[in-house]
């Protein structure tokens, strides 16, 4: 098992980092009380290869936070690394002022500056014991995400997964689509009796569409649109992008368009996936 223990000062970016770990396939537990760490690891043994646990001032023990004994709690054979996110007091003051959130140590009425300083002192042993110390003073959320990926993988992957999905409107629209295109205006093979038993993956239907220039024009323009915006979407640190193509039944037009777009995009990038919702159900 590979274990990432994610900690740091409140407001330094732990939530962003935990989302990155989740996107990379880690089983993530936020705000786990440290006494339960061993129990969690035992319950996940032989079930999860990648585990991440977020620890902060709210769920660490009081007695010197028992931080110096943290590694002793981790069973042998587990590859564990501690990531500590930090920022200057001035940066944290500014971030809390902008978000209007309450610092965890200011619940008893302590001024924000005092709470930030107290937390720095309490977490210092953990910061000193960390394998990776990330200062987020000058990092945007996107820069921080790339920094975490770089440390975990050895490089910052800048190519997200692109999923092309066909569907039928009469069965409902997909809920997770980032872009949705309606191709019900295109010529419909359904009205050709000899083509009705086939799908958009079959040659007779493909030959039918090749006779209609509007189909090729739509595929060309959709490809250009996606290619035009992919770089900006990738800079937004998305893990994947879902592009849904819909026709009436999800059997002919949408399937064909998805197949064509998939073939084109596979020529110049990795990480392309295809899903035919209605055909998969059948």
């Amino acid at each position: 098992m590979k274990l990432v223990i994610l900690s740091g000062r409140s407001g330094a970016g732990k939530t962003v980092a935990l989302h990155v770990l989740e996107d990379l396939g880690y089983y993530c537990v936020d705000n786990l009380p440290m006494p339960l760490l061993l129990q969690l690891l035992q319950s996940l043994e032989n079930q999860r290869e990648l585990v991440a646990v977020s620890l902060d001032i709210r769920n660490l023990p009081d007695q010197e936070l028992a931080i110096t004994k943290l590694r002793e709690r981790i069973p042998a054979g587990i590859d564990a690394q501690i990531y500590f996110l930090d920022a200057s007091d001035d940066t944290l003051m500014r971030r809390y002022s902008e978000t209007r959130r309450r610092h965890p140590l200011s619940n008893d009425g302590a001024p924000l500056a005092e709470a930030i300083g107290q937390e720095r002192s309490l977490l210092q042993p953990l910061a000193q014991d960390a394998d990776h110390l990330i200062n987020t003073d000058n990092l945007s959320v996107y820069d921080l995400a790339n920094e975490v990926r770089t440390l975990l993988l050895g490089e910052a992957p800048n190519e997200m997964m692109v999923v092309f999905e066909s569907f039928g409107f009469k069965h409902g629209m997909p809920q997770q689509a980032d872009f949705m295109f309606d191709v019900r205006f295109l010529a419909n093979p359904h009205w050709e009796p000899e083509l009705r038993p086939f799908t958009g993956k079959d040659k007779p239907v493909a030959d039918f569409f090749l006779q209609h220039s509007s189909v090729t024009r739509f595929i060309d323009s959709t490809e250009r649109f996606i290619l035009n915006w992919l770089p900006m979407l990738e800079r937004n640190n998305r893990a994947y992008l879902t592009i849904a193509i819909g026709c009436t039944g999800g059997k002919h037009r949408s399937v064909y368009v998805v197949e064509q777009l998939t073939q084109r995009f596979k020529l110049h990038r990795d990480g392309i996936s295809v899903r035919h919702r209605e055909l998969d159900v059948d």
Side-chain angles (χ1 to χ4, degrees):
M1 178 188 293
K2 184 174 183 179
L3 171 67
V4 170
I5 297 174
L6 180 65
S7 189
R9 300 172 69 187
S10 303
K14 293 190 300 298
T15 300
V16 173
L18 197 65
H19 287 163
V20 173
L21 290 164
E22 190 172 27
D23 288 342
L24 292 175
Y26 280 77
Y27 178 82
C28 297
V29 180
D30 191 14
N31 293 331
L32 177 76
M34 198 168 74
L36 299 181
L37 177 60
L38 179 59
Q39 181 180 340
L40 172 71
L41 296 177
Q42 290 174 339
S43 67
L44 295 177
E45 187 178 7
N46 301 323
Q47 298 184 36
R48 301 282 183 171
E49 291 294 327
L50 302 175
V51 178
V53 175
S54 172
L55 301 175
D56 63 25
I57 202 68
R58 293 169 294 177
N59 50 28
L60 290 170
D62 293 333
Q63 186 177 2
E64 294 184 357
L65 303 179
I67 288 173
T68 56
K69 297 183 179 180
L70 176 58
R71 292 189 188 273
E72 298 176 8
R73 298 172 179 267
I74 302 171
I78 293 181
D79 178 14
Q81 290 194 328
I82 299 175
Y83 285 66
F84 191 91
L85 274 60
D86 202 358
S88 68
D89 289 5
D90 289 342
T91 296
L92 295 178
M93 286 284 292
R94 174 176 53 80
R95 290 175 181 173
Y96 269 98
S97 296
E98 291 173 350
T99 61
R100 303 293 184 182
R101 296 181 59 214
R102 182 184 293 273
H103 191 281
L105 295 182
S106 63
N107 289 330
D108 58 357
L112 177 59
E114 180 181 324
I116 288 175
Q118 182 184 6
E119 184 185 39
R120 179 184 66 250
S121 177
L122 290 172
L123 291 179
Q124 188 61 28
L126 183 55
Q128 292 176 342
D129 196 38
D131 298 288
H132 303 285
L133 182 62
I134 305 175
N135 186 289
T136 67
D137 277 335
N138 299 311
L139 298 181
S140 68
V141 292
Y142 310 122
D143 294 333
L144 173 56
N146 278 331
E147 180 75 12
V148 173
R149 289 191 185 96
T150 300
L151 291 172
L152 282 169
L153 305 178
E155 60 180 3
N158 57 6
E159 187 168 278
M160 63 186 169
M161 171 71 72
V162 178
V163 181
F164 290 102
E165 177 180 9
S166 69
F167 72 96
F169 277 98
K170 73 177 184 180
H171 301 293
M173 294 182 291
Q175 299 298 313
Q176 303 302 321
D178 297 292
F179 292 98
M180 188 180 304
F181 296 90
D182 184 349
V183 297
R184 286 177 291 185
F185 64 92
L186 297 177
N188 191 355
H190 176 80
W191 303 116
E192 303 292 333
E194 68 277 11
L195 297 179
R196 193 170 297 175
F198 296 102
T199 74
K201 301 172 70 173
D202 297 317
K203 188 176 185 301
V205 174
D207 291 339
F208 169 86
F209 284 128
L210 289 174
Q211 299 173 18
H212 295 80
S213 61
S214 58
V215 177
T216 302
R217 290 204 313 274
F218 174 81
I219 296 172
D220 289 342
S221 62
T222 303
E223 179 186 21
R224 288 194 299 270
F225 173 83
I226 298 170
L227 286 174
N228 184 52
W229 293 107
L230 271 182
M232 185 171 293
L233 291 165
E234 285 180 325
R235 286 197 294 272
N236 195 240
N237 285 303
R238 289 169 172 260
Y240 61 89
L241 178 76
T242 300
I243 300 164
I245 311 291
C247 61
T248 303
K251 181 179 179 180
H252 296 111
R253 291 167 290 184
S254 61
V255 171
Y256 176 78
V257 171
V258 161
E259 286 292 313
Q260 294 302 306
L261 288 171
T262 299
Q263 291 176 20
R264 294 187 183 197
F265 275 82
K266 281 185 175 180
L267 293 176
H268 46 76
R269 65 182 289 130
D270 298 320
I272 301 297
S273 179
V274 60
R275 181 165 60 236
H276 297 297
R277 191 183 74 178
E278 317 310 348
L279 298 188
D280 293 342
V281 170
D282 293 339

